[in-house]
């Protein structure tokens, strides 16, 4: 199933000069990974402390920067350094922690179901777990959609933009979160199904 992950190579090509510059400056892949998590933490803290339209309008920019940092850490690891076990751990944990930090402030929006937001966080974590567990059975790390990490970032950015522009959440936000949770369930299923097909028989 097609997701935004399919355009990652083109995105990385745009960032390659930045990756070269960071490497020349002695910046490691792990440092970039940690920077992406800190960025999410700062944005989350800002939303909790100042849940204003202006703060929400910063979200799309922060999400774009986070996507760039996520692409850069992988490029630095693969193209300039040997990938390390610590780097793999930081990358996977950083992604799910950053997702939780950025999604949970949606609870502050009046009329939004805390259960749906919590479900979004847990299902996002589960979808990444399904992608990682594929490696345990001999398949490749799975990034199947329809709601992968980049797709979730696009969705969250669009929600923040609409709310930041003063559009009332009314019922559309609850419906959107409900649909997103359903798509995450399908994402988990697709990743596990593809992993099982790819895995070599024992």
């Amino acid at each position: 199933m097609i997701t935004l992950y399919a355009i990652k190579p083109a995105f990385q090509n745009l960032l390659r000069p930045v990756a070269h510059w960071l490497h020349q400056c002695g910046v490691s892949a792990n440092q970039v990974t940690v920077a992406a998590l800190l960025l999410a933490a700062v944005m989350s803290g800002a939303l909790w402390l100042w849940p204003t339209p202006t703060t929400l309008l910063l979200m799309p920019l922060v999400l774009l920067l986070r996507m760039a940092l996520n692409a850069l850490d992988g490029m630095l690891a693969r193209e300039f350094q040997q990938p390390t076990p610590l780097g793999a751990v930081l990358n996977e944990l950083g992604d799910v922690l950053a997702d939780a930090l950025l999604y949970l402030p949606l609870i502050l929006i009046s009329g939004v179901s805390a259960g749906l937001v919590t479900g979004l966080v847990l299902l996002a974590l589960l979808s990444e777990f399904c992608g990682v567990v594929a490696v345990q059975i001999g398949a490749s790390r799975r990034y199947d959609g329809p709601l992968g990490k980049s797709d979730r970032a696009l969705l969250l950015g669009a929600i923040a933009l609409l709310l930041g522009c003063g559009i009332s959440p009314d019922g559309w936000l609850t419906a959107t979160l409900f649909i997103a949770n359903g798509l995450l369930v399908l994402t988990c299923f697709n990743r596990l199904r593809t992993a099982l097909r790819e895995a070599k028989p024992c």
Side-chain angles (χ1 to χ4, degrees), residues 46-114:
L47 287 169
W48 285 105
L49 294 172
W50 304 287
T52 65
T54 302
T55 309
L56 284 167
L57 287 174
L58 292 174
M59 179 71 85
L61 295 176
V62 168
L63 289 169
L64 181 61
L65 180 55
R66 180 195 165 202
M67 289 174 62
L69 291 172
N70 286 339
L72 286 166
D73 67 1
M75 293 169 66
L76 285 169
R78 287 189 303 273
E79 299 178 16
F80 301 106
Q81 306 162 31
Q82 289 296 323
T84 64
L86 175 61
V89 170
L90 286 175
N91 187 56
E92 296 295 345
L93 286 180
D95 281 345
V96 295
L97 288 175
D99 278 354
L101 287 168
L102 292 171
Y103 299 159
L104 283 175
L106 291 174
I107 292 174
L108 297 173
I109 299 170
S110 177
V112 173
S113 167

Side-chain angles (χ1 to χ4, degrees), residues 99-167:
D99 278 354
L101 287 168
L102 292 171
Y103 299 159
L104 283 175
L106 291 174
I107 292 174
L108 297 173
I109 299 170
S110 177
V112 173
S113 167
L116 284 176
V117 175
T118 303
L120 185 72
V121 172
L122 294 177
L123 286 169
L125 187 157
L126 182 61
S127 70
E128 296 309 313
F129 174 78
C130 290
V132 172
V133 79
V135 180
Q136 297 294 316
I137 62 172
S140 60
R141 171 63 162 92
R142 300 308 312 169
Y143 297 97
D144 308 83
L147 207 63
K149 179 174 63 178
S150 299
D151 307 289
R152 296 194 301 269
L154 178 62
L155 176 64
L156 181 59
I159 290 173
L161 181 62
L162 291 174
L163 294 173
C165 289
I167 296 177

